[in-house]
């Protein structure tokens, strides 16, 4: 009898999925453990399916429990949207919104967004979580965040995890030029043939950045000799300064990093840049707080962070 489902049951099952125990779920929701256990037993009787199985010191959700936990995310997101739309009827832009962003945005774009919103909409609480674009899009799709700052590399096909589902929209905002970092005495200069770097030792980055490096080198008809790997821009600069290799980095990653004297930075053509975008669920901008959040991301001044603005032709999604 699934018509007897209630919101508390969904919240409890979701909390158990997140915490792994009934005790922790009860603490998260502000109930006693016996009260949560009793509610779950009554819920299992109503829906006609077991929801939990004992697993050592914790519990595991049954198939029915996992299905309910998945639906709980979307139900809570819908309730949040409804609550904020009702708030708007009273003329208030308040409540809580959740933003995800990639690491190099965390120290550059995101502080501008959060400080701007604190000034313009002090009643709006903004939660922030750092996540690479594929993970951020998953969080957005599942309703765990309301908007995400993401990026895509120009000239590189999207992987399955990077393809935007129909439920999401994305608008391109800024161009982040890729830079080549190399020892100061290296002869390569802006405008030189990238293929001249075919014999170099390379420092690779995160999986997406490594893919960008491979694509860029493939366009110049060579495979890079990747001898070291790190997704830490400061570490890359240190390795290059020590003469251990050269690397590609997004320009944004250097905005909050001190470039050593032993390192020279060469800006590469726009064809190997990345495009920074803001993504949200389809129709979400009808919610005032989400609209305000996405507008705050778009309002960041690109010159402050070495970025270039994307014109209207750069938008990759229609109106919401």
């Amino acid at each position: 009898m699934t018509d007897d489902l209630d919101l508390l049951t969904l919240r409890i099952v979701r909390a158990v999925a997140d915490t792994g125990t009934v005790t922790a779920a009860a603490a998260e929701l502000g109930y006693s453990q016996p009260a949560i256990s009793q509610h779950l037993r009554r819920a299992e009787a109503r829906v006609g399916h077991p929801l939990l199985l004992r697993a050592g010191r914790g519990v595991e959700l049954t198939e029915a429990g996992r299905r309910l936990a998945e639906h709980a995310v979307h139900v809570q997101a819908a309730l949040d949207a409804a609550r904020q739309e009702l708030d708007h009827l009273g003329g208030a832009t308040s409540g809580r919104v959740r933003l995800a962003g990639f690491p190099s945005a965390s120290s550059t774009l995101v502080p501008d967004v959060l400080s701007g919103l604190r000034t313009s909409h002090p009643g709006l609480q903004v939660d922030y979580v750092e996540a690479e674009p594929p993970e951020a899009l998953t969080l957005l799709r599942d309703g765990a965040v309301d908007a995400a700052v993401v990026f895509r590399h120009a000239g590189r096909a999207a992987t399955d995890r990077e393809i935007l589902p129909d439920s999401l929209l994305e608008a391109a905002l800024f161009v982040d030029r890729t830079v080549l970092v190399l020892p100061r005495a290296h002869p390569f200069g802006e405008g030189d043939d990238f293929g001249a770097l075919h014999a170099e030792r390379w420092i690779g980055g995160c999986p997406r950045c490594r893919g960008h490096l491979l694509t860029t080198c493939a366009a110049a008809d060579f495979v890079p000799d990747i001898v070291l790997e790190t997704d830490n821009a400061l570490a890359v600069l240190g390795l290059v300064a020590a003469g251990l290799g050269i690397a590609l980095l997004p320009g944004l990653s250097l905005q909050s990093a001190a470039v050593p004297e032993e390192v020279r930075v060469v800006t590469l053509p726009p064809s190997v840049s990345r495009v920074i975008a803001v993504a949200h669920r389809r129709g979400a901008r009808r919610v005032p707080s989400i609209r305000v959040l996405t507008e705050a991301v778009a309002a960041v001044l690109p010159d402050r962070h070495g970025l270039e603005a994307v014109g209207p032709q750069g938008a990759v999604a229609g109106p919401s």
Side-chain angles (χ1 to χ4, degrees):
M1 295 291 292
T2 54
D3 56 342
D4 287 329
L5 282 173
D6 61 273
L7 180 58
L8 180 56
T9 297
L10 292 176
R11 292 181 63 207
I12 291 172
V13 173
R14 182 71 251 175
V16 171
D18 291 339
T19 64
T21 69
V22 173
T23 300
E28 181 176 286
L29 296 174
Y31 290 88
S32 68
Q33 187 271 337
I36 292 296
S37 295
Q38 291 175 13
H39 185 95
L40 285 171
R41 284 194 292 270
R42 291 194 298 268
E44 288 177 329
R46 289 199 308 271
V47 302
H49 295 280
L51 301 177
L52 303 179
L53 293 175
R54 291 289 177 187
R57 295 184 177 181
V59 294
E60 290 183 357
L61 294 179
T62 63
E63 177 65 20
R66 289 194 295 272
R67 296 288 180 88
L68 289 186
E70 292 170 1
H71 284 292
V73 173
H74 303 292
V75 170
Q76 188 62 54
L79 288 174
D80 289 344
R83 186 178 299 112
Q84 293 186 52
E85 288 209 34
L86 291 177
D87 287 343
H88 182 56
L89 293 177
T93 301
S94 60
R96 174 187 176 195
V97 287
R98 300 153 299 180
L99 176 67
F102 54 90
S104 57
S106 295
S107 59
T108 52
L109 305 179
V110 172
D112 284 4
V113 173
L114 299 185
S115 62
L117 287 173
R118 175 177 290 183
T119 300
S120 62
H121 297 85
L124 184 63
Q125 177 184 339
V126 186
D127 296 336
Y128 178 67
V129 59
E130 186 174 276
E132 292 288 353
E135 290 73 28
L137 290 177
T138 298
L139 292 172
L140 186 59
R141 183 198 63 204
D142 292 345
V145 299
D146 300 301
V149 182
V150 297
F151 66 83
R152 299 183 184 279
H153 286 111
R156 178 172 172 262
T159 65
D160 289 345
R161 296 184 65 210
E162 297 168 342
I163 294 175
L164 203 69
D166 291 339
S167 60
L168 303 183
L169 292 176
E170 183 180 283
L173 300 176
F174 312 115
V175 175
D176 183 15
R177 297 282 288 273
T178 298
V179 299
L180 177 69
V181 289
L182 33 71
R184 180 160 295 279
H186 198 289
F188 189 89
E190 190 168 334
D192 287 353
D193 179 13
F194 196 82
L197 301 171
H198 68 276
E200 298 289 341
R201 291 159 56 89
W202 289 86
I203 302 165
C206 68
R208 299 182 85 232
C209 297
R210 179 189 176 99
H212 181 48
L213 171 61
L214 292 173
T215 299
T216 303
C217 293
D221 295 323
F222 72 91
V223 177
D225 178 19
I226 300 176
V227 296
L228 298 166
E229 294 189 40
T230 174
D231 58 2
N232 184 320
L234 290 176
V236 170
L237 292 173
L239 293 169
V240 173
L244 299 174
I246 66 174
L248 296 185
L249 284 176
L252 192 63
S253 69
L254 298 184
Q255 292 298 303
S256 56
V259 178
E261 292 183 0
E262 302 87 351
V263 173
R264 189 161 55 86
V265 176
V266 176
T267 301
L268 296 179
S271 59
V272 292
S273 63
R274 65 181 185 178
V275 176
I276 297 174
V278 61
H280 56 80
R281 289 187 297 279
R282 189 176 294 275
R285 280 173 51 85
R286 291 179 298 170
V287 180
S289 58
I290 298 177
R291 183 177 66 252
V292 164
L293 175 61
T294 57
E295 288 174 349
V297 176
V300 170
L301 298 176
D303 290 348
R304 275 177 46 82
H305 306 291
L307 303 173
E308 301 170 11
V310 171
Q313 74 278 8
V316 294
S320 61

